Amino acid sequence: MTSLRITGGVPLSGQVTVRGAKNLVPKAMVAALLGSTPSTLGNVPEIKDVEVVTDLLALHGVEVNRDDALGNLTLDPTNVTRARHSDIDAHAGDSRIPILLCGPLLHALGEAFIPDLGGCRIGDRPINYHLEVLRNFGAKVEKLESGIRMSAPHGLQGAKMDLPYPSVGATEQVLLTATRAEGHTELRGAATEPEIMDLIAILQKMGALITVQTDRVIRIEGVPELTGYVHSALPDRMEAASWGSAALATGGDIFVAGAKQADMMTFLNTFRKVGGGLDIREDGIRFYHPGGDLNPLIVETDVHPGFMTDWQQPLVVVLTQAKGVSIVHETVYENRFGFTRALNRMGAVIQVHRECLGSVPCRFGQRNFLHSAVISGPTPLRAADIHIPDLRGGFSHLIAALSAEGVSQVTGVELIKRGYEHFTDKLSGLGANFVVDEA
Ligand code: EPU
């Protein structure tokens, strides 16, 4: 169990580098399973989620090798084999990746298994869209005590489908399954996040035929064989935005090398409106506090190209320092404001409401979900003892502790390693004042 003892009040300043996106790299690793030859994935960060997928692929006979100097992974799927359900369960831990292994494993072996899934506890996180998608392709879904078993006794066939909500994972499920299914697939209501576009680019390199049309329609013509790919993962726009918010909340100045403007334009607009300074360059983005008051904002999270749900939590810490009342309406997950309780203990004034406090009523209105937050600022933050609840909420707690006067003890920081590469080294490089306690 690792905890950090953070002495706050030091503006973070300096440079950090972001590498491949946590929300693309594991899916790109899964795509390698579809190839008949090895793949090479570059710009791979050293994060826990990559380790988990490496273990899961290894259990299925995929040889994964890492070249640390280059940050490259080679993935050789030529000896794919069945894995024991208990081993999958033991290695999946808190990852939701087993659900995305289903399509490629059904193609390769005719069967797949999903243990009870974890991931960050930010709502129910059901898998009904995924199961429906797989059934549409002709998969047989069987509930067992230990999880869900899938089989495809007659292979998988393309189909027409329409997602009730533009789910990132369910869109990836369709892509990873349809590319080698027999015939054509039409997906309506698809998610179009940059990570999905990067996955499509990878699949195209492998030989897939995918067309992205307007109005969230994706068409895929199945092909009988795909080969391996060579690809460099797009940079992590969630991590980049997190460091941006950390710069602003602590009154600092951080150059995020590798941050890509095109993938985070909505965040950059919001950052500028709240009063943050930006210097957008080809090789990265500088985020800084230009002095003076920060402005309150009204923000609604949404699917791409809207304001991402994963940008929300670090921004809320910034908004506690803005002069006036801000509103954040979370429309992607129903339960993503639990982290505000710790901020209130630190002196923030944040109220959460069941009503949709935004311009568009969302799926969670009138359903007892505390999914709108009203933040009154500026309120100086004071140190507190905090246990990290989930990845993004946890990073926002770190930012709050780094901004607060006094010494905060932050436990459960392992969770941060799921998505933030070498974050303690990066914090040290930015001048943060903290001590790591290994219990
Ligand atoms: N949903 C369902 N049924 C399903 C699938 C999703 O109701 O079968 C609902 C979810 O409960 C949620 C909404 O649909 O309310 C959107 O979920 P989505 O499927 O888009 O999310 P995901 O694929 O599980 C990925 C990222 C999340 C990110 C979301 C939205 C990964 C590994 N995770 O999750 O990232 O917030 O898309 O962009 O790619 C994070 O990085 O901390 C994180 C949680």
Side-chain angles (χ1 to χ4, degrees):
M1 191 74 169
T2 313
S3 66
L4 300 185
R5 206 149 21 94
I6 299 176
T7 306
V10 181
L12 296 184
S13 92
Q15 173 167 333
V16 294
T17 300
V18 291
R19 292 209 282 177
K22 162 195 160 278
N23 288 351
L24 177 270
V25 167
K27 290 83 178 266
M29 293 171 70
V30 172
L33 258 178
L34 291 164
S36 53
T37 53
S39 292
T40 304
L41 181 63
N43 204 23
V44 177
E46 288 177 38
I47 53 174
K48 183 83 180 118
D49 274 17
V50 171
E51 279 173 36
V52 171
V53 188
T54 300
D55 289 349
L56 283 171
L57 289 176
L59 280 181
H60 288 94
V62 180
E63 206 184 305
V64 186
N65 287 302
R66 182 175 181 107
D67 179 332
D68 277 330
L70 294 172
N72 280 355
L73 285 185
T74 52
L75 304 109
D76 185 347
T78 35
N79 295 312
V80 172
T81 175
R82 287 182 170 73
R84 292 214 321 243
H85 293 185
S86 54
D87 287 342
I88 300 175
D89 197 8
H91 284 81
D94 50 5
S95 163
R96 284 170 64 82
I97 285 297
I99 182 84
L100 288 179
L101 283 169
C102 288
L105 286 178
L106 285 170
H107 284 303
L109 305 168
E111 69 170 58
F113 173 74
I114 313 169
D116 270 346
L117 293 172
C120 282
R121 300 280 167 218
I122 49 179
D124 266 355
R125 303 201 75 178
I127 59 167
N128 52 330
Y129 301 165
H130 294 260
L131 298 182
E132 196 50 34
V133 159
L134 289 161
R135 281 195 191 100
N136 281 331
F137 282 111
K140 201 170 134 214
V141 177
E142 232 179 303
K143 299 223 161 96
L144 310 177
E145 224 169 77
S146 51
I148 297 171
R149 184 179 174 274
M150 310 259 170
S151 56
H154 310 295
L156 298 172
Q157 291 82 38
K160 281 192 173 192
M161 39 196 112
D162 198 342
L163 291 177
Y165 183 79
S167 150
V168 169
T171 301
E172 291 160 344
Q173 183 73 262
V174 172
L175 291 169
L176 290 165
T177 310
T179 40
R180 274 186 52 196
E182 198 191 323
H184 290 211
T185 295
E186 177 187 282
L187 174 65
R188 295 189 167 268
T192 58
E193 269 61 6
E195 292 77 17
I196 289 177
M197 293 302 141
D198 213 35
L199 181 62
I200 291 176
I202 288 172
L203 292 167
Q204 186 177 51
K205 285 177 174 172
M206 299 177 80
L209 287 167
I210 303 171
T211 314
V212 181
Q213 301 183 331
T214 48
D215 296 332
R216 302 193 175 279
V217 177
I218 299 182
R219 287 179 205 282
I220 303 129
E221 291 175 46
V223 293
E225 194 186 333
L226 296 172
T227 54
Y229 65 80
V230 177
H231 188 80
S232 182
L234 90 169
D236 197 308
R237 64 200 171 110
M238 285 71 143
E239 186 186 353
S242 300
W243 290 117
S245 291
L248 200 50
T250 61
D253 187 336
I254 303 180
F255 181 70
V256 183
K260 197 167 143 210
Q261 175 190 15
D263 295 341
M264 45 193 311
M265 293 188 103
T266 307
F267 178 80
L268 299 177
N269 286 338
T270 306
F271 190 86
R272 186 166 273 156
K273 281 201 269 185
V274 83
L278 289 172
D279 182 4
I280 303 168
R281 297 189 353 202
E282 278 307 296
D283 57 342
I285 302 175
R286 175 183 164 218
F287 298 88
Y288 62 97
H289 195 311
D293 290 337
L294 297 179
N295 311 310
L297 277 188
I298 299 198
V299 180
E300 278 180 282
T301 65
D302 206 349
V303 292
H304 188 74
F307 189 91
M308 281 205 75
T309 169
D310 301 292
W311 291 332
Q312 176 256 101
Q313 306 77 356
L315 184 80
V316 165
V317 183
V318 173
L319 294 176
T320 67
Q321 302 311 304
K323 194 173 177 188
V325 177
S326 298
I327 296 176
V328 180
H329 181 206
E330 169 62 59
T331 77
V332 180
Y333 289 107
E334 70 276 25
N335 185 19
R336 231 179 173 184
F337 281 125
F339 74 97
T340 60
R341 284 192 292 274
L343 299 184
N344 282 342
R345 278 198 289 117
M346 299 176 81
V349 177
I350 304 172
Q351 292 167 312
V352 284
H353 297 273
R354 294 183 170 81
E355 288 73 16
C356 293
L357 300 182
S359 56
V360 189
C362 77
R363 302 172 290 153
F364 309 134
Q366 313 299 330
R367 289 180 57 208
N368 273 331
F369 296 123
L370 294 165
H371 72 293
S372 294
V374 178
I375 304 137
S376 309
T379 48
L381 297 178
R382 46 178 191 270
D385 291 348
I386 309 165
H387 186 72
I388 278 176
D390 65 69
L391 181 64
R392 308 293 169 194
F395 198 83
S396 81
H397 291 161
L398 284 188
I399 298 176
L402 290 158
S403 325
E405 283 303 318
V407 180
S408 299
Q409 188 76 26
V410 185
T411 51
V413 290
E414 277 78 14
L415 261 177
I416 306 280
K417 294 182 189 156
R418 285 192 53 193
Y420 293 85
E421 184 181 37
H422 306 153
F423 75 95
T424 45
D425 294 344
K426 290 181 185 175
L427 285 174
S428 301
L430 294 169
N433 186 354
F434 68 95
V435 180
V436 180
D437 289 331
E438 301 278 359

